[in-house]
Amino acid sequence: MRLSGLIFLKVEMTKKPRLNKSQFEEILQRLADGESLTKICNHTEHLPSYRTVLRYVQDSDDAYYEYRKARALQAELLRDQIVDLVTAPLP
């Protein structure tokens, strides 16, 4: 298409996935191990932002299911840690 002496080309770009399967699996494992999503994403260079992860989870039912399982395991771990703290003798 030509407008006012300029040439405009329509270029179709494929959308690059911002989160691949191995990154997502790493995030799920670390969540299940008790780390927070923000800490995982903010302190690991090769992982995307927490917002990208949450968008990925919202866009896929399968990803959402796996994410919920990891969060449930994380909750169990945190519950155990809280019980350990509460039942520990005072210094």
Side-chain angles (χ1 to χ4, degrees):
M1 172 183 332
R2 194 167 194 42
L3 297 174
S4 303
L6 298 174
I7 298 174
F8 292 91
L9 298 174
K10 183 178 178 182
V11 178
E12 292 193 31
M13 299 178 69
T14 58
K15 194 171 184 179
K16 178 181 146 186
R18 296 183 179 174
L19 180 63
N20 64 43
K21 186 176 179 170
S22 66
Q23 289 173 323
F24 189 56
E25 288 173 357
E26 177 183 348
I27 290 167
L28 295 179
Q29 184 59 54
R30 291 173 66 180
L31 283 171
D33 289 340
E35 287 185 70
S36 73
L37 180 60
T38 51
K39 182 179 178 185
I40 293 167
C41 294
N42 290 341
H43 300 297
T44 310
E45 189 68 32
H46 69 277
L47 295 178
S49 73
Y50 75 93
R51 289 182 183 131
T52 299
V53 175
L54 294 178
R55 275 194 300 271
Y56 181 80
V57 168
Q58 289 173 340
D59 291 344
S60 166
D61 289 340
D62 291 336
Y64 178 77
Y65 176 73
E66 294 301 320
Y67 181 79
R68 294 306 331 145
K69 284 194 324 187
R71 284 296 196 175
L73 292 170
Q74 181 188 49
E76 290 294 325
L77 176 64
L78 293 175
R79 179 204 172 278
D80 285 348
Q81 291 173 345
I82 290 168
V83 169
D84 290 345
L85 286 172
V86 170
T87 60
L90 295 174

